[in-house]
Amino acid sequence: MKDHHSEFVAPKSMQQMTQKGHQIEEDSFSIIDREIDEIHGGHSHNKQQWQVVRRAIHTTGDFEFSDLYRFSENAVDTGIKALINGCPIVSDVTMIKSGISPVRTKIHGNATHCFISDADVIENAKLPVIHELYGG
C-alpha cells in the first residue's frame, strides 16, 4: 500500500492559524488516514489529491469520497495557483461559504459567492431537465 498521506504541505496561508487548531486538525487527519487504510483498504490518490479528498472526508464524515473524487492532471496545483492569484470561490451550499474564513480569503483577495438563493437560480431549477444531456 502506498503512503500518500502526509508529505505534501499546503501553502502557509491555507494552514491552521493556531497551534491548537493545527494539532486538532492533525489528530483528525491521522484518524482518517488510519481508517482509510485499515477499514477501507487504502486509496489511490497522490499526496496532493489526498489532501483534498481527506479534507472532504473530514468535513462530511463520509469515507465514500475517497472513491468518488477524480482529478485531472495538475488539478491541485492549478487550483492552489488560482486561489493564490485571487480567484473567486463559488459554492452551491450557503454553509460552505459561511465556513470560509474571511481572514484567509483576505490574504489573496478571494471573494466568496453562493448563488443558490438567487431568483434566477431558483427559476432555472424549476425548469424541466433535458434527460438526453444526462444519458437518461
Side-chain angles (χ1 to χ4, degrees), residues 25-55:
E25 183 177 74
E26 284 304 308
D27 291 347
S28 295
F29 287 160
S30 292
I31 292 167
I32 292 168
D33 290 343
R34 187 171 50 254
E35 184 166 333
I36 205 74
D37 287 340
E38 294 175 5
I39 298 174
H40 300 279
H43 63 84
S44 61
H45 305 288
N46 69 33
K47 289 171 181 57
Q48 286 184 314
Q49 294 167 350
W50 179 239
Q51 298 302 310
V52 174
V53 174
R54 185 168 67 164
R55 183 152 306 275

PDB file of all heavy atoms in Angstrom, residues 25-55:
ATOM      1  N   GLU A  25      -6.586  19.443  14.042  1.00  0.00           N
ATOM      2  CA  GLU A  25      -6.730  19.039  12.646  1.00  0.00           C
ATOM      3  C   GLU A  25      -5.841  17.845  12.327  1.00  0.00           C
ATOM      4  O   GLU A  25      -6.287  16.874  11.697  1.00  0.00           O
ATOM      5  CB  GLU A  25      -6.384  20.228  11.739  1.00  0.00           C
ATOM      6  CG  GLU A  25      -6.576  19.945  10.271  1.00  0.00           C
ATOM      7  CD  GLU A  25      -6.298  21.170   9.434  1.00  0.00           C
ATOM      8  OE1 GLU A  25      -5.107  21.523   9.273  1.00  0.00           O
ATOM      9  OE2 GLU A  25      -7.268  21.770   8.948  1.00  0.00           O
ATOM     10  N   GLU A  26      -4.594  17.881  12.759  1.00  0.00           N
ATOM     11  CA  GLU A  26      -3.672  16.772  12.502  1.00  0.00           C
ATOM     12  C   GLU A  26      -4.155  15.483  13.162  1.00  0.00           C
ATOM     13  O   GLU A  26      -4.048  14.405  12.570  1.00  0.00           O
ATOM     14  CB  GLU A  26      -2.254  17.122  12.960  1.00  0.00           C
ATOM     15  CG  GLU A  26      -1.547  18.067  12.022  1.00  0.00           C
ATOM     16  CD  GLU A  26      -1.489  17.541  10.588  1.00  0.00           C
ATOM     17  OE1 GLU A  26      -1.055  16.386  10.374  1.00  0.00           O
ATOM     18  OE2 GLU A  26      -1.896  18.279   9.681  1.00  0.00           O
ATOM     19  N   ASP A  27      -4.677  15.576  14.382  1.00  0.00           N
ATOM     20  CA  ASP A  27      -5.219  14.392  15.059  1.00  0.00           C
ATOM     21  C   ASP A  27      -6.387  13.814  14.274  1.00  0.00           C
ATOM     22  O   ASP A  27      -6.489  12.594  14.089  1.00  0.00           O
ATOM     23  CB  ASP A  27      -5.663  14.732  16.484  1.00  0.00           C
ATOM     24  CG  ASP A  27      -4.498  15.045  17.411  1.00  0.00           C
ATOM     25  OD1 ASP A  27      -3.326  14.771  17.056  1.00  0.00           O
ATOM     26  OD2 ASP A  27      -4.767  15.591  18.509  1.00  0.00           O
ATOM     27  N   SER A  28      -7.270  14.684  13.795  1.00  0.00           N
ATOM     28  CA  SER A  28      -8.420  14.230  12.998  1.00  0.00           C
ATOM     29  C   SER A  28      -7.962  13.572  11.706  1.00  0.00           C
ATOM     30  O   SER A  28      -8.470  12.521  11.308  1.00  0.00           O
ATOM     31  CB  SER A  28      -9.332  15.414  12.659  1.00  0.00           C
ATOM     32  OG  SER A  28      -9.897  15.952  13.815  1.00  0.00           O
ATOM     33  N   PHE A  29      -6.983  14.182  11.039  1.00  0.00           N
ATOM     34  CA  PHE A  29      -6.471  13.625   9.794  1.00  0.00           C
ATOM     35  C   PHE A  29      -5.781  12.284  10.029  1.00  0.00           C
ATOM     36  O   PHE A  29      -5.880  11.378   9.194  1.00  0.00           O
ATOM     37  CB  PHE A  29      -5.527  14.597   9.101  1.00  0.00           C
ATOM     38  CG  PHE A  29      -6.228  15.778   8.470  1.00  0.00           C
ATOM     39  CD1 PHE A  29      -5.521  16.923   8.186  1.00  0.00           C
ATOM     40  CD2 PHE A  29      -7.570  15.749   8.145  1.00  0.00           C
ATOM     41  CE1 PHE A  29      -6.140  18.011   7.589  1.00  0.00           C
ATOM     42  CE2 PHE A  29      -8.205  16.821   7.558  1.00  0.00           C
ATOM     43  CZ  PHE A  29      -7.489  17.958   7.266  1.00  0.00           C
ATOM     44  N   SER A  30      -5.101  12.138  11.159  1.00  0.00           N
ATOM     45  CA  SER A  30      -4.462  10.848  11.485  1.00  0.00           C
ATOM     46  C   SER A  30      -5.507   9.750  11.632  1.00  0.00           C
ATOM     47  O   SER A  30      -5.294   8.615  11.192  1.00  0.00           O
ATOM     48  CB  SER A  30      -3.646  10.964  12.767  1.00  0.00           C
ATOM     49  OG  SER A  30      -2.531  11.789  12.565  1.00  0.00           O
ATOM     50  N   ILE A  31      -6.622  10.084  12.253  1.00  0.00           N
ATOM     51  CA  ILE A  31      -7.715   9.115  12.409  1.00  0.00           C
ATOM     52  C   ILE A  31      -8.262   8.734  11.035  1.00  0.00           C
ATOM     53  O   ILE A  31      -8.495   7.553  10.747  1.00  0.00           O
ATOM     54  CB  ILE A  31      -8.831   9.692  13.314  1.00  0.00           C
ATOM     55  CG1 ILE A  31      -8.311   9.830  14.751  1.00  0.00           C
ATOM     56  CG2 ILE A  31     -10.089   8.826  13.250  1.00  0.00           C
ATOM     57  CD1 ILE A  31      -9.203  10.676  15.651  1.00  0.00           C
ATOM     58  N   ILE A  32      -8.457   9.708  10.155  1.00  0.00           N
ATOM     59  CA  ILE A  32      -8.953   9.438   8.800  1.00  0.00           C
ATOM     60  C   ILE A  32      -7.957   8.571   8.043  1.00  0.00           C
ATOM     61  O   ILE A  32      -8.340   7.584   7.401  1.00  0.00           O
ATOM     62  CB  ILE A  32      -9.231  10.760   8.052  1.00  0.00           C
ATOM     63  CG1 ILE A  32     -10.419  11.471   8.683  1.00  0.00           C
ATOM     64  CG2 ILE A  32      -9.461  10.501   6.561  1.00  0.00           C
ATOM     65  CD1 ILE A  32     -10.613  12.899   8.222  1.00  0.00           C
ATOM     66  N   ASP A  33      -6.666   8.912   8.112  1.00  0.00           N
ATOM     67  CA  ASP A  33      -5.631   8.122   7.428  1.00  0.00           C
ATOM     68  C   ASP A  33      -5.657   6.668   7.894  1.00  0.00           C
ATOM     69  O   ASP A  33      -5.605   5.742   7.087  1.00  0.00           O
ATOM     70  CB  ASP A  33      -4.243   8.707   7.682  1.00  0.00           C
ATOM     71  CG  ASP A  33      -4.017  10.038   6.997  1.00  0.00           C
ATOM     72  OD1 ASP A  33      -4.788  10.383   6.069  1.00  0.00           O
ATOM     73  OD2 ASP A  33      -3.059  10.739   7.388  1.00  0.00           O
ATOM     74  N   ARG A  34      -5.745   6.484   9.203  1.00  0.00           N
ATOM     75  CA  ARG A  34      -5.747   5.131   9.761  1.00  0.00           C
ATOM     76  C   ARG A  34      -6.990   4.363   9.312  1.00  0.00           C
ATOM     77  O   ARG A  34      -6.904   3.222   8.876  1.00  0.00           O
ATOM     78  CB  ARG A  34      -5.661   5.200  11.293  1.00  0.00           C
ATOM     79  CG  ARG A  34      -5.479   3.864  11.965  1.00  0.00           C
ATOM     80  CD  ARG A  34      -5.179   3.964  13.460  1.00  0.00           C
ATOM     81  NE  ARG A  34      -6.099   4.829  14.200  1.00  0.00           N
ATOM     82  CZ  ARG A  34      -5.796   6.054  14.667  1.00  0.00           C
ATOM     83  NH1 ARG A  34      -4.598   6.558  14.477  1.00  0.00           N
ATOM     84  NH2 ARG A  34      -6.678   6.763  15.331  1.00  0.00           N
ATOM     85  N   GLU A  35      -8.149   5.031   9.382  1.00  0.00           N
ATOM     86  CA  GLU A  35      -9.384   4.342   8.998  1.00  0.00           C
ATOM     87  C   GLU A  35      -9.413   4.027   7.501  1.00  0.00           C
ATOM     88  O   GLU A  35      -9.864   2.947   7.111  1.00  0.00           O
ATOM     89  CB  GLU A  35     -10.614   5.166   9.385  1.00  0.00           C
ATOM     90  CG  GLU A  35     -11.898   4.413   9.088  1.00  0.00           C
ATOM     91  CD  GLU A  35     -13.133   4.998   9.729  1.00  0.00           C
ATOM     92  OE1 GLU A  35     -13.017   5.651  10.779  1.00  0.00           O
ATOM     93  OE2 GLU A  35     -14.220   4.781   9.163  1.00  0.00           O
ATOM     94  N   ILE A  36      -8.937   4.942   6.676  1.00  0.00           N
ATOM     95  CA  ILE A  36      -8.956   4.678   5.227  1.00  0.00           C
ATOM     96  C   ILE A  36      -8.070   3.484   4.907  1.00  0.00           C
ATOM     97  O   ILE A  36      -8.385   2.676   4.042  1.00  0.00           O
ATOM     98  CB  ILE A  36      -8.562   5.945   4.416  1.00  0.00           C
ATOM     99  CG1 ILE A  36      -9.166   5.878   3.005  1.00  0.00           C
ATOM    100  CG2 ILE A  36      -7.070   6.116   4.293  1.00  0.00           C
ATOM    101  CD1 ILE A  36     -10.613   6.121   2.910  1.00  0.00           C
ATOM    102  N   ASP A  37      -6.943   3.344   5.624  1.00  0.00           N
ATOM    103  CA  ASP A  37      -6.038   2.214   5.400  1.00  0.00           C
ATOM    104  C   ASP A  37      -6.577   0.916   5.987  1.00  0.00           C
ATOM    105  O   ASP A  37      -6.619  -0.108   5.309  1.00  0.00           O
ATOM    106  CB  ASP A  37      -4.656   2.504   5.996  1.00  0.00           C
ATOM    107  CG  ASP A  37      -3.879   3.531   5.189  1.00  0.00           C
ATOM    108  OD1 ASP A  37      -4.205   3.735   4.004  1.00  0.00           O
ATOM    109  OD2 ASP A  37      -2.954   4.132   5.757  1.00  0.00           O
ATOM    110  N   GLU A  38      -7.005   0.948   7.248  1.00  0.00           N
ATOM    111  CA  GLU A  38      -7.371  -0.276   7.966  1.00  0.00           C
ATOM    112  C   GLU A  38      -8.764  -0.790   7.626  1.00  0.00           C
ATOM    113  O   GLU A  38      -8.989  -2.001   7.602  1.00  0.00           O
ATOM    114  CB  GLU A  38      -7.248  -0.041   9.473  1.00  0.00           C
ATOM    115  CG  GLU A  38      -5.819   0.202   9.923  1.00  0.00           C
ATOM    116  CD  GLU A  38      -5.699   0.555  11.397  1.00  0.00           C
ATOM    117  OE1 GLU A  38      -6.726   0.531  12.115  1.00  0.00           O
ATOM    118  OE2 GLU A  38      -4.562   0.870  11.824  1.00  0.00           O
ATOM    119  N   ILE A  39      -9.694   0.091   7.376  1.00  0.00           N
ATOM    120  CA  ILE A  39     -11.085  -0.334   7.175  1.00  0.00           C
ATOM    121  C   ILE A  39     -11.497  -0.290   5.704  1.00  0.00           C
ATOM    122  O   ILE A  39     -12.234  -1.148   5.236  1.00  0.00           O
ATOM    123  CB  ILE A  39     -12.041   0.524   8.036  1.00  0.00           C
ATOM    124  CG1 ILE A  39     -11.712   0.317   9.521  1.00  0.00           C
ATOM    125  CG2 ILE A  39     -13.498   0.197   7.736  1.00  0.00           C
ATOM    126  CD1 ILE A  39     -12.469   1.208  10.462  1.00  0.00           C
ATOM    127  N   HIS A  40     -10.993   0.697   4.981  1.00  0.00           N
ATOM    128  CA  HIS A  40     -11.441   0.905   3.597  1.00  0.00           C
ATOM    129  C   HIS A  40     -10.429   0.444   2.556  1.00  0.00           C
ATOM    130  O   HIS A  40     -10.634   0.663   1.365  1.00  0.00           O
ATOM    131  CB  HIS A  40     -11.799   2.382   3.385  1.00  0.00           C
ATOM    132  CG  HIS A  40     -12.899   2.848   4.287  1.00  0.00           C
ATOM    133  ND1 HIS A  40     -14.226   2.625   4.023  1.00  0.00           N
ATOM    134  CD2 HIS A  40     -12.853   3.492   5.475  1.00  0.00           C
ATOM    135  CE1 HIS A  40     -14.960   3.125   4.993  1.00  0.00           C
ATOM    136  NE2 HIS A  40     -14.153   3.663   5.889  1.00  0.00           N
ATOM    137  N   GLY A  41      -9.337  -0.156   2.990  1.00  0.00           N
ATOM    138  CA  GLY A  41      -8.375  -0.723   2.044  1.00  0.00           C
ATOM    139  C   GLY A  41      -7.465   0.278   1.360  1.00  0.00           C
ATOM    140  O   GLY A  41      -6.915  -0.005   0.309  1.00  0.00           O
ATOM    141  N   GLY A  42      -7.317   1.477   1.919  1.00  0.00           N
ATOM    142  CA  GLY A  42      -6.421   2.479   1.354  1.00  0.00           C
ATOM    143  C   GLY A  42      -7.101   3.322   0.290  1.00  0.00           C
ATOM    144  O   GLY A  42      -8.324   3.317   0.150  1.00  0.00           O
ATOM    145  N   HIS A  43      -6.288   4.056  -0.462  1.00  0.00           N
ATOM    146  CA  HIS A  43      -6.791   4.925  -1.525  1.00  0.00           C
ATOM    147  C   HIS A  43      -5.750   4.980  -2.634  1.00  0.00           C
ATOM    148  O   HIS A  43      -4.620   4.526  -2.463  1.00  0.00           O
ATOM    149  CB  HIS A  43      -7.087   6.333  -0.983  1.00  0.00           C
ATOM    150  CG  HIS A  43      -5.874   7.049  -0.476  1.00  0.00           C
ATOM    151  ND1 HIS A  43      -5.036   7.747  -1.303  1.00  0.00           N
ATOM    152  CD2 HIS A  43      -5.354   7.156   0.782  1.00  0.00           C
ATOM    153  CE1 HIS A  43      -4.056   8.271  -0.586  1.00  0.00           C
ATOM    154  NE2 HIS A  43      -4.215   7.919   0.681  1.00  0.00           N
ATOM    155  N   SER A  44      -6.149   5.532  -3.756  1.00  0.00           N
ATOM    156  CA  SER A  44      -5.250   5.574  -4.911  1.00  0.00           C
ATOM    157  C   SER A  44      -4.807   6.993  -5.283  1.00  0.00           C
ATOM    158  O   SER A  44      -4.246   7.207  -6.345  1.00  0.00           O
ATOM    159  CB  SER A  44      -5.939   4.935  -6.118  1.00  0.00           C
ATOM    160  OG  SER A  44      -7.115   5.658  -6.426  1.00  0.00           O
ATOM    161  N   HIS A  45      -5.036   7.960  -4.419  1.00  0.00           N
ATOM    162  CA  HIS A  45      -4.717   9.355  -4.712  1.00  0.00           C
ATOM    163  C   HIS A  45      -3.251   9.665  -4.421  1.00  0.00           C
ATOM    164  O   HIS A  45      -2.658   9.082  -3.518  1.00  0.00           O
ATOM    165  CB  HIS A  45      -5.602  10.284  -3.878  1.00  0.00           C
ATOM    166  CG  HIS A  45      -7.057  10.016  -4.057  1.00  0.00           C
ATOM    167  ND1 HIS A  45      -7.728  10.335  -5.214  1.00  0.00           N
ATOM    168  CD2 HIS A  45      -7.963   9.433  -3.249  1.00  0.00           C
ATOM    169  CE1 HIS A  45      -8.989   9.971  -5.096  1.00  0.00           C
ATOM    170  NE2 HIS A  45      -9.158   9.413  -3.917  1.00  0.00           N
ATOM    171  N   ASN A  46      -2.675  10.620  -5.179  1.00  0.00           N
ATOM    172  CA  ASN A  46      -1.323  11.061  -4.847  1.00  0.00           C
ATOM    173  C   ASN A  46      -1.391  11.989  -3.625  1.00  0.00           C
ATOM    174  O   ASN A  46      -2.475  12.286  -3.126  1.00  0.00           O
ATOM    175  CB  ASN A  46      -0.627  11.711  -6.056  1.00  0.00           C
ATOM    176  CG  ASN A  46      -1.220  13.040  -6.463  1.00  0.00           C
ATOM    177  OD1 ASN A  46      -1.704  13.836  -5.647  1.00  0.00           O
ATOM    178  ND2 ASN A  46      -1.196  13.314  -7.759  1.00  0.00           N
ATOM    179  N   LYS A  47      -0.247  12.447  -3.169  1.00  0.00           N
ATOM    180  CA  LYS A  47      -0.199  13.235  -1.929  1.00  0.00           C
ATOM    181  C   LYS A  47      -1.035  14.510  -1.998  1.00  0.00           C
ATOM    182  O   LYS A  47      -1.755  14.836  -1.055  1.00  0.00           O
ATOM    183  CB  LYS A  47       1.248  13.562  -1.581  1.00  0.00           C
ATOM    184  CG  LYS A  47       2.022  12.357  -1.116  1.00  0.00           C
ATOM    185  CD  LYS A  47       3.509  12.677  -0.983  1.00  0.00           C
ATOM    186  CE  LYS A  47       4.308  11.476  -0.548  1.00  0.00           C
ATOM    187  NZ  LYS A  47       4.210  10.306  -1.405  1.00  0.00           N
ATOM    188  N   GLN A  48      -0.944  15.241  -3.094  1.00  0.00           N
ATOM    189  CA  GLN A  48      -1.732  16.469  -3.221  1.00  0.00           C
ATOM    190  C   GLN A  48      -3.228  16.170  -3.283  1.00  0.00           C
ATOM    191  O   GLN A  48      -4.025  16.820  -2.619  1.00  0.00           O
ATOM    192  CB  GLN A  48      -1.324  17.238  -4.474  1.00  0.00           C
ATOM    193  CG  GLN A  48       0.008  17.928  -4.360  1.00  0.00           C
ATOM    194  CD  GLN A  48       0.288  18.741  -5.606  1.00  0.00           C
ATOM    195  OE1 GLN A  48       0.095  18.263  -6.718  1.00  0.00           O
ATOM    196  NE2 GLN A  48       0.733  19.966  -5.418  1.00  0.00           N
ATOM    197  N   GLN A  49      -3.607  15.205  -4.089  1.00  0.00           N
ATOM    198  CA  GLN A  49      -5.017  14.852  -4.219  1.00  0.00           C
ATOM    199  C   GLN A  49      -5.583  14.380  -2.881  1.00  0.00           C
ATOM    200  O   GLN A  49      -6.709  14.725  -2.517  1.00  0.00           O
ATOM    201  CB  GLN A  49      -5.181  13.753  -5.269  1.00  0.00           C
ATOM    202  CG  GLN A  49      -4.823  14.181  -6.660  1.00  0.00           C
ATOM    203  CD  GLN A  49      -4.684  13.007  -7.609  1.00  0.00           C
ATOM    204  OE1 GLN A  49      -4.676  11.838  -7.207  1.00  0.00           O
ATOM    205  NE2 GLN A  49      -4.546  13.305  -8.896  1.00  0.00           N
ATOM    206  N   TRP A  50      -4.786  13.601  -2.157  1.00  0.00           N
ATOM    207  CA  TRP A  50      -5.253  13.071  -0.877  1.00  0.00           C
ATOM    208  C   TRP A  50      -5.568  14.200   0.100  1.00  0.00           C
ATOM    209  O   TRP A  50      -6.500  14.105   0.882  1.00  0.00           O
ATOM    210  CB  TRP A  50      -4.252  12.084  -0.286  1.00  0.00           C
ATOM    211  CG  TRP A  50      -4.707  11.542   1.031  1.00  0.00           C
ATOM    212  CD1 TRP A  50      -4.048  11.652   2.223  1.00  0.00           C
ATOM    213  CD2 TRP A  50      -5.913  10.812   1.313  1.00  0.00           C
ATOM    214  NE1 TRP A  50      -4.780  11.042   3.216  1.00  0.00           N
ATOM    215  CE2 TRP A  50      -5.921  10.522   2.687  1.00  0.00           C
ATOM    216  CE3 TRP A  50      -6.974  10.404   0.526  1.00  0.00           C
ATOM    217  CZ2 TRP A  50      -6.960   9.825   3.294  1.00  0.00           C
ATOM    218  CZ3 TRP A  50      -8.017   9.703   1.136  1.00  0.00           C
ATOM    219  CH2 TRP A  50      -8.005   9.418   2.493  1.00  0.00           C
ATOM    220  N   GLN A  51      -4.835  15.306   0.044  1.00  0.00           N
ATOM    221  CA  GLN A  51      -5.130  16.435   0.930  1.00  0.00           C
ATOM    222  C   GLN A  51      -6.537  16.973   0.665  1.00  0.00           C
ATOM    223  O   GLN A  51      -7.254  17.333   1.597  1.00  0.00           O
ATOM    224  CB  GLN A  51      -4.097  17.547   0.756  1.00  0.00           C
ATOM    225  CG  GLN A  51      -2.688  17.153   1.098  1.00  0.00           C
ATOM    226  CD  GLN A  51      -2.540  16.654   2.513  1.00  0.00           C
ATOM    227  OE1 GLN A  51      -2.998  17.304   3.456  1.00  0.00           O
ATOM    228  NE2 GLN A  51      -1.930  15.508   2.682  1.00  0.00           N
ATOM    229  N   VAL A  52      -6.936  17.017  -0.581  1.00  0.00           N
ATOM    230  CA  VAL A  52      -8.269  17.494  -0.952  1.00  0.00           C
ATOM    231  C   VAL A  52      -9.325  16.487  -0.515  1.00  0.00           C
ATOM    232  O   VAL A  52     -10.318  16.840   0.134  1.00  0.00           O
ATOM    233  CB  VAL A  52      -8.358  17.739  -2.484  1.00  0.00           C
ATOM    234  CG1 VAL A  52      -9.779  18.096  -2.897  1.00  0.00           C
ATOM    235  CG2 VAL A  52      -7.365  18.812  -2.914  1.00  0.00           C
ATOM    236  N   VAL A  53      -9.115  15.233  -0.848  1.00  0.00           N
ATOM    237  CA  VAL A  53     -10.085  14.183  -0.516  1.00  0.00           C
ATOM    238  C   VAL A  53     -10.214  14.038   1.000  1.00  0.00           C
ATOM    239  O   VAL A  53     -11.323  13.945   1.534  1.00  0.00           O
ATOM    240  CB  VAL A  53      -9.684  12.835  -1.161  1.00  0.00           C
ATOM    241  CG1 VAL A  53     -10.606  11.723  -0.712  1.00  0.00           C
ATOM    242  CG2 VAL A  53      -9.679  12.968  -2.677  1.00  0.00           C
ATOM    243  N   ARG A  54      -9.091  14.035   1.682  1.00  0.00           N
ATOM    244  CA  ARG A  54      -9.102  13.883   3.150  1.00  0.00           C
ATOM    245  C   ARG A  54      -9.862  15.033   3.801  1.00  0.00           C
ATOM    246  O   ARG A  54     -10.597  14.828   4.762  1.00  0.00           O
ATOM    247  CB  ARG A  54      -7.662  13.800   3.658  1.00  0.00           C
ATOM    248  CG  ARG A  54      -7.572  13.522   5.132  1.00  0.00           C
ATOM    249  CD  ARG A  54      -6.176  13.169   5.545  1.00  0.00           C
ATOM    250  NE  ARG A  54      -5.289  14.295   5.395  1.00  0.00           N
ATOM    251  CZ  ARG A  54      -4.089  14.371   5.958  1.00  0.00           C
ATOM    252  NH1 ARG A  54      -3.625  13.363   6.677  1.00  0.00           N
ATOM    253  NH2 ARG A  54      -3.338  15.424   5.787  1.00  0.00           N
ATOM    254  N   ARG A  55      -9.725  16.247   3.271  1.00  0.00           N
ATOM    255  CA  ARG A  55     -10.470  17.382   3.828  1.00  0.00           C
ATOM    256  C   ARG A  55     -11.976  17.198   3.587  1.00  0.00           C
ATOM    257  O   ARG A  55     -12.788  17.511   4.459  1.00  0.00           O
ATOM    258  CB  ARG A  55     -10.000  18.695   3.220  1.00  0.00           C
ATOM    259  CG  ARG A  55     -10.721  19.865   3.855  1.00  0.00           C
ATOM    260  CD  ARG A  55      -9.960  21.138   3.858  1.00  0.00           C
ATOM    261  NE  ARG A  55      -8.650  21.111   4.437  1.00  0.00           N
ATOM    262  CZ  ARG A  55      -8.374  21.254   5.734  1.00  0.00           C
ATOM    263  NH1 ARG A  55      -9.351  21.380   6.611  1.00  0.00           N
ATOM    264  NH2 ARG A  55      -7.131  21.258   6.152  1.00  0.00           N
TER     265      ARG A  55
END
